[in-house]
Amino acid sequence: MTDMSADTISVPAQWRAQHPTTPHLTGLLDYHTLYKESIHFPSTFWAKQARELLSFTQDFHTTSIGSLENGDNAWFVGGGLNACFNCVDRHAIQDPHRAALIYEPDDPADGSRIITYGELLRHVSRLAGVLRGRGVKKGDIVTIYMPMIPEAVMAVLACARIGAVHSVVFAGFSAEALGDRIQDANSAVVITTDEGRRGGRTISTKRVVDEAARECPQVTTVLVYKRTGADIPWMAGRDLWWDEEMKQYPAYTPPEVMDSEDYLFLLYTSGSTGKPKGVFHSTAGYLLGAAVTGKYVFDIHPQDRFFCSGDIGWITGHTYVVYAPLALGCTSIIFEGTPTYPSHTRFWEIVQKHACTHFYGAPTAFRLLKRSIAKENLQNIDTSQLRVLGSVGEPIAPEVWKWYYDFMGNENAVVTDTYWQTETGSHIIAACAGVTPMKPGSATLPCLGIDLAIIDPVTGEELKGNQVEGVLAIKQPWPSMARTIRGNHDRYMDSYFNVYKGYYFTGDAAFRDQDGYYWIRGRVDDVVNVSGHRLSTSEIEGAIIEHPGVAEAAIIGVPDELTGQAINAIVSLKNDQTPETTAKELVIKVRTTIGPFAAPKKVLVVRDLPKTRSGKIVRRILRKALTGENEFGDTSTLADPSVLDEILEAVASS
Ligand code: PRX
């Protein structure tokens, strides 16, 4: 790869010179050598990484078994370890005073809080005691519904400590959605707060849990951390105050030795059809994926202060707020608020205040900030400690990439656009910081151990060589891949392994350019991405169709300047309905069934939807109508072609 195309940005010359220690990779050649080893000798490579980066109490005897074809992969077989020990104890033993977490509250006037590794060990131990005291055993699933505060991280780690499986539900989900997840996980214990604070507003977490738990008779304990001190409803016997319980348990609880393949956590994500799927991740494989990508993609060192602005309710927060930074023993910033509160320069102020070396965020936030911030606003803010900037969740347009590189990093920090998924556990395609030449808009090259394929969607054949476009797949197992979908292994097989036999199917389309760089084009299924939130069109349709006045509905993701994609609902109503009122009710219906972030931006009421003669809704035509395209292709298959004109009229006047 000597003759790179013109759109390449090299790593700034001063990057290595200014590095506070020594980068983990010496250069691009180093990456290529390691990458080749990881693909040609995966067992040797992964075994070495696992023994180097993780502490096993019992060494594994077999690096990996199983195949993508059978979806039965297991890693580090025979190994025994504890994820919490790896993330807390071993650093607390070595350097108890090093900051593990820095809490930056929603309101900066409230002041930040530092939690050292030594303190974290004591908190997590006590909490582990509390959970055990309430009957939580190895393998039980504990649901966590909390805002971004250090206690959320403690809750996750306390579960891991005693071998309970955590299921974190994003605190923006509605009571109904939370209830479904508590029920599906069969959790007896839920951990929450009295309230949360976000962007100056209050989130009523406990109230949502109360409502959700009404439908979940197995819930025996709701552990409540007092965040605001608000007066909240209380169910004696079931509800317990975090602080009062913690006092009753010792400051050290030994970690439970887990099998490498024991599940570490469950995380729900949207699929292309039906109900959200609960994805299970393993202990050793997942943790290694987090550690390896933290080391090589982000170049994390123990002295670093890593600021990932993702929420712990999504995979980004799991892997890059909790597991990667803590497994590698650096400091993780826990930010409770939003990018625009109290001002649009909040991210920069946090980076300055805590001398952050890394910042990791989503293009949806960058687009918003790009509109509102001028270079002058940043003049007096010192972000010179920043070394690595990460982007995640959706494609980043080249002009947004360049803005990020300039406004956030002053062209001193490198940008790594990280492509991955809930199911992959850790990065799949990303630049290795300080090593990979960057191309704005491209996620660049595969991560270590990730063997990618571009497949022709029609023939199912792999497209070899460069300058090819198709669906993105992975052709070798990797340690941090999800192991199953809770209660539905068939769905796991059908979603990922039965689409193209012998490959893991990502659901995304991608282009591999002349330099072997990857450009993610977006989903090829019915998954949409709104502000980095992964949503399923059929799930939203399911919520809308429950409204008694709706005859038919289709949800379409349309491009949106700010949120990447936006949800549009096109509905036909039963005869006696008033369109305006019903449209409003439908927005509320989605908010209460799923959460505010899934609410349609636009609801178009039409007489009928475009359908084939057999009654199938033709979404392709709706998508084109909504995005202003007027080339509809063959419309002769429509049962009633006049419907299309009416829809175009409705779009024009909306
Ligand atoms: O479509 C891809 C998009 O987000 C999907 C995964 O969503 P989720 O499981 O919620 O995880 C998001 C955080 C890892 C992918 O199938 N996606 C994620 N990262 C990128 C991306 N699309 C383009 N570029 C990215 N860097």
Side-chain angles (χ1 to χ4, degrees), residues 538-552:
S538 59
E539 196 184 336
I540 305 173
E541 278 164 18
I544 283 188
I545 224 82
E546 278 174 15
H547 186 289
V550 171
E552 279 179 307

Side-chain angles (χ1 to χ4, degrees), residues 7 39 84 101 124 150 175 239 269 288 489 596:
D7 52 357
I39 299 303
C84 179
L101 308 175
V124 167
D239 298 350
T269 188
L288 185 65
H489 195 71

Side-chain angles (χ1 to χ4, degrees), residues 42-44 46-48 50-51 56 58-66 73-80 259-261 284-285 479 483:
S43 284
T44 319
W46 285 116
K48 200 163 84 192
R51 293 196 175 104
F56 287 86
Q58 164 80 47
D59 194 15
F60 51 90
H61 53 71
T62 306
T63 306
S64 128
I65 52 168
N73 300 278
W75 286 84
F76 314 115
V77 181
D259 188 278
S260 293
E261 278 296 310
R483 296 296 191 262

Side-chain angles (χ1 to χ4, degrees), residues 387-563:
R387 216 166 68 236
V388 185
L389 301 174
S391 175
V392 62
E394 43 176 328
I396 177 166
E399 71 276 11
V400 178
W401 191 105
K402 287 179 187 148
W403 171 89
Y404 188 39
Y405 185 53
D406 177 10
F407 275 57
M408 198 72 176
N410 276 316
E411 302 192 356
N412 278 321
V414 290
V415 172
T416 178
D417 171 13
T418 61
Y419 165 81
W420 57 298
Q421 310 175 306
T422 304
E423 297 87 339
T424 68
S426 55
H427 302 151
I428 288 300
I429 307 178
C432 287
V435 166
T436 314
M438 303 167 281
K439 286 194 195 192
S442 164
T444 77
L445 301 175
C447 294
L448 299 177
I450 305 299
D451 200 3
L452 296 174
I454 301 264
I455 293 178
D456 182 320
V458 181
T459 64
E461 296 294 318
E462 186 179 338
L463 299 169
K464 301 271 170 75
N466 289 341
Q467 300 273 41
V468 288
E469 180 147 2
V471 292
L472 183 66
I474 304 175
K475 51 182 172 174
Q476 261 188 36
W478 68 103
S480 69
M481 57 193 287
R483 296 296 191 262
T484 192
I485 292 172
R486 180 170 163 81
N488 201 344
H489 195 71
D490 282 353
R491 188 171 176 199
Y492 171 77
M493 292 305 295
D494 288 345
S495 307
Y496 312 114
F497 304 104
N498 291 342
V499 187
Y500 301 105
K501 264 302 183 202
Y503 295 88
Y504 166 88
F505 171 61
T506 63
D508 286 298
F511 169 63
R512 185 163 57 220
D513 75 7
Q514 71 275 22
D515 301 317
Y517 273 48
Y518 288 84
W519 301 74
I520 307 298
R521 301 291 199 221
R523 303 287 307 198
V524 292
D525 52 13
D526 289 328
V527 168
V528 283
N529 192 322
V530 180
S531 297
H533 296 311
R534 178 169 159 182
L535 301 165
S536 135
T537 53
S538 59
E539 196 184 336
I540 305 173
E541 278 164 18
I544 283 188
I545 224 82
E546 278 174 15
H547 186 289
V550 171
E552 279 179 307
I555 291 292
I556 307 286
V558 298
D560 186 275
E561 241 183 78
L562 220 49
T563 56

Side-chain angles (χ1 to χ4, degrees), residues 530 535 540 566-567 586-588 590-591 595-602:
V530 180
L535 301 165
I540 305 173
I567 298 292
L586 291 180
V587 173
I588 297 170
V590 178
R591 290 175 74 96
F597 57 90
K601 187 173 177 187
K602 203 190 263 182

Side-chain angles (χ1 to χ4, degrees), residues 19 53 65 120 154 170 198 216 347 350-351 446 570 592 635:
H19 198 286
L53 292 173
I65 52 168
L120 186 59
M154 292 170 197
F170 173 59
R198 216 165 167 267
C216 309
F347 279 159
I350 297 172
V351 167
I570 320 222
T592 52
T635 53

